[in-house]
Amino acid sequence: MTRSPEELRVVMLVANEVTNDSRVRKEAAALAEAGVQVTVLGVSGNGSQSREMLDGAMVVRVAVLFTLREQRKASRKSRRDWRPPLVGYPNEQAYLARAYRVQAGLKALKADSGHAMQAKKGELGFKLGVATRLVRRAGWQAARRGVLLRKGLGNQLDKPFKSAWRAWDGVNHRITWPARWRRVHPEAIDLELAFGDLIDQLEPDVVHAHDMHVIGVAARAAGRAKLRGKDLKVVYDAHEYVPGIARYGARTRKFIAAWANHEREYIGAADRVITVSSAIAERLEQEHKLPRKPTVILNTPDIPESVEIELDIRAKLRLPAEVPLLVYSGGITAVRGIETAIKALPSMPGVHLAIVAVPTPNQPAVDVLRKLAGQLGVEDRMHYLHPVAPSEVTAFLTTADAGIIPMLRAPNHEMAMPNKLFEYSLGGLPVLVSDMASMKEFVTRTGIGEYFQAANSADLAEKAKLLLRRTDSYRERLADPEFKQEAAWSGQAERLRALYTEMLGRTQLEPVLDGNSEAPGRRLLVGPVNSAGQGYLLATALEREVPTIAAESLTTDGGKYDFKVHRTGTATQYREDLRWQLSLAAWALQNVTHVLFEAGRPMFGRMPGQVWDADVPMLDAAGIKHGLVFHGSEVRDPARHRAKYKFSPFADRGDEITARLQAANDLIREHLAEYEGPRFVSTPDLLEYVEGSEWLPVVVDADELASTVPVMDREVPVVLHAPSMSSLKGSAYVDPVLTELDARGLIKYQRVQSVPHQELMAMVKDADIVVDQLLLGSYGVFACEAMAAGRVTVGHVGDDVRALLPTELPIVEATPDDLGEVIERLVAEREEARKTADAGPRYVRELHDGRKSVEVLLPFLGGR
C-alpha cells in the first residue's frame, strides 16, 4: 500500500554543513513544499551533532569522526618519518629530551665536584672521587658529541629522504590506475559509518545522494533495505563532472581518479541520476552506459522577491552610482581565475572589482589576491566582502554593473553552469564569463553578456569595457519574461518533483498551498516529563486563561500513573528512535514559539549524559524562546538537604538512590551555571536550590477534585498514604505508625501505590485524612490534590517554606517523631480537623488552580 505524498520520506546526504550549499537547500525545499518529509544529513563542522529546520527540511549535522581518514594520514606520516636506527631522531622532541638529559648530567657532575671540594676528608678518597668524576665527565661529553653527531647525520639524511618521498609522490599522484578509492579516500567509509545507521532508522522511501562523496552510502542503504523487503529508491545528484575536477594542491590526478572510481562503482545502483548541465548529462550517460539520460536540474536561484536588506553592495562599499563596479561572488581558489580579473584592472582605469569571498575574506587565498593587487597598484580599486545569506545574494549584488566568472580552463569547467551565473542574471546583472563551452553557449544564445578568452587578462579588459558601455541593452534581455522562466529555480523545482513522481509511480507532487502562511501565534510546548500531569494541567490552564496562546504537553516516561497529556512518546523512542525524534523536532520548529523544559531534560531525544541545553542551539537558531521548570528531586541537592533536615531521605551518602540523585543534581547545576533562560520551580522549597528561580505553583483541577463525601464523620476515619516513591516520602516511618493505629481500631489505614491517577483520586475523595510526606520539608501535587478534595492533609513542611507562602498553609505539620500523636489528636479533635480540611479547597483555588501559575508564566510568553 503506497503512502500519500504527505507520508513520503526522503533522506538527502551531503558531505558538508549544508548551510552554504544552495543546491542541496533548494532541492530539499522543492520537495518539502510538496508535503514530503525531507531530512538532510550533513557533516558537523564543530564535532557536535545539531539539528535545524531550513527551508522546510530537517537538517541533521552529524559528528563524523573520520577515523579511517585520520588513520591513513597518520600511517602516511609514520612512513615518511621513518629513519634508520641511530641515524637522526624521530622528531624534535626526542632530540631535545636527549640533549637536555646530557646537559642535566653535566650540571649534576659540576655540583658533585663542588660538594667534594668542601667535604675533602682524605687524600686517597678525594683522589679516587676526582678520578671517578673525570670518567663521568668524559662519558657525558662523549654523549653530548654523540647527540650532535646523531642530529647532524639525521639532518644530512633528512634531505635525501624527503626528496625521495617528494619524487615518489610526484610520480604516484600522476598514476591514475588503479586509484583505489577505499585506499585514497577512506573518508567515504567514514561517511558510511556516520550516516548508514541513521538512514536505516529513518526508513525513507528515497535516499538522495548529493555529489560523489556519498553515492556509496546511498547505494549500500538501498541494499540493506532490500533485506527488509523494502524498495528504497536512490537518486544520485552529480554536482559536477568528477573526472574533470580541476587539479590544484591536494587535488592530484590520483585524488580525482579515485573519486571518479567511487562514482563509477555505485552510479549503476542509482534509480535516477540528475546533474547540473546538458554537457555533463551526456558524458555521464556515455561513460557509464546509463539506461536513461540524466535529468538536468540547473542550479539556478528563484526569481528574487523584494528582499529588504540593510545595505546593498554599493552602499556597503560607499561607491557612487557612476563608478563602474564589477563583482565576483563565490569560492576563492586558483582555478576560479580571479587573478585574471585583477591583472586586467590596470587596463581598465576607474573600474572597481568587489570580491564577495565564500566563506570569508579572512583566508590565505584572499591574501594572495591582496598581494597581487598591491604589486599591480590597484589595491585602492579592490574590495573584499563577507558573503550574505543565500536569500539576500541577488538583492545584495544588484547595484553592481556586471558579474564576472573568470574560470580557468579545465574539463569540468567546460561543462559547468555555476549558480552564480544565474544569481547575477536574475538580479539584473550583465555577465562577463570566460569562454567555457557551456557558459559561452548560454551567454551567446541569451545575449545577457560577453565572454572572453580564459586566462587572458587583456581580452577580459576589452570585453569588460564593451560590456560596461552597453549595460542597458543587456539589462533589457535580462528583463525578458522568457529568460526569467528559463533561469529561475521555480521551473527547475517542477522538473525535480516530476522526476520523483515518475520514479515512484505516484500522483504528481505539487506545492502544498498553505492558507495559514503567516507566522504562527504563540504556542508553548512543555515536556518531556509531564511530572504528575503538571505539563498537561499547566498547558490547559494557560489556554483557558489566555485563549490567544496555544499550549501542549509532552511525556516520554510512559503511562504508569495514566496522567492526561497531549503528546506521548515511549522511552525507547525518546532514546533511540531518530525518526520519532526528528518528526517531533520538525513539528516544534515549525509550530512552536516557546519551549519549557521539564526536569532539565532535552525535549527532542536524549543521548546518555545529555541535558536540556543539547536542544538550545537548535531552538536559538529558530528564534524559539525557552526556559526551565523543575519539579523536585532532579534539582533538590541531597547534600544540602541532608545538612538541613533531621530526617532527610538522603542521610545515607552511600545509598544508591542518594548517589544517583546527587550525580544528576551535580550535572544539572553545572549546566545551569551557563544557562541564561528563565528558571521556574513548582514547589517553594526548590527556590533555595535553583539560583534566580521563580515559583511556578503546581496546578490541580480543583473542580474535578471537589468531593461531596463528608470528612471526619465516620467513627473510624480512613487514613490514606499513597507515596509515588516510598523512600523519599518517608513510608518507612509512616507504615508502622499507621498500621499500629489501625490495629488499635483508631483508624482504618489505606496504603496504596502505583495505581492509575483516576483511581487514586477516587480514593482521596473518599478518605478522611491523607498523609503526604514526612521527610522533604515541602508540599507538592499530591498534597494539593488532597487539599482540593477537602481532606485533612498531613505532612512535614518546614517553617522556612511556610514563611515563603502568601497565606497560611492548611497542612497539618507532622514528622517521624510525632506522626502518631498528630493522627490521634486529629481523630480526637474532629471539629478542628474539619476546619483545616475546609480551608484546603480555598487555599488551592487561591494558589494552585492555574491562575497564579499563568500569571507567573506570562512574562516569559510575552504577556497577555
Side-chain angles (χ1 to χ4, degrees), residues 329-352:
S329 176
I332 311 298
T333 58
V335 294
R336 304 295 178 103
I338 307 169
E339 292 187 3
T340 306
I342 296 175
K343 290 175 181 177
L345 283 181
S347 302
M348 297 187 289
V351 176
H352 287 238

Side-chain angles (χ1 to χ4, degrees), residues 5 7 47 51 80 118 145 186 214 222 300 325 357 401 429 439 475 523 556 610 736 758 768 780 805 857:
E7 295 174 290
R51 300 172 184 177
R80 281 155 172 71
Q118 188 174 18
R145 286 192 294 273
V214 289
T300 64
L325 175 62
D401 290 297
L429 289 188
M439 287 196 299
R475 288 185 187 272
R523 182 187 289 272
T556 57
Q610 278 188 338
Q758 208 63 12
D768 294 289
L805 305 175
L857 203 57

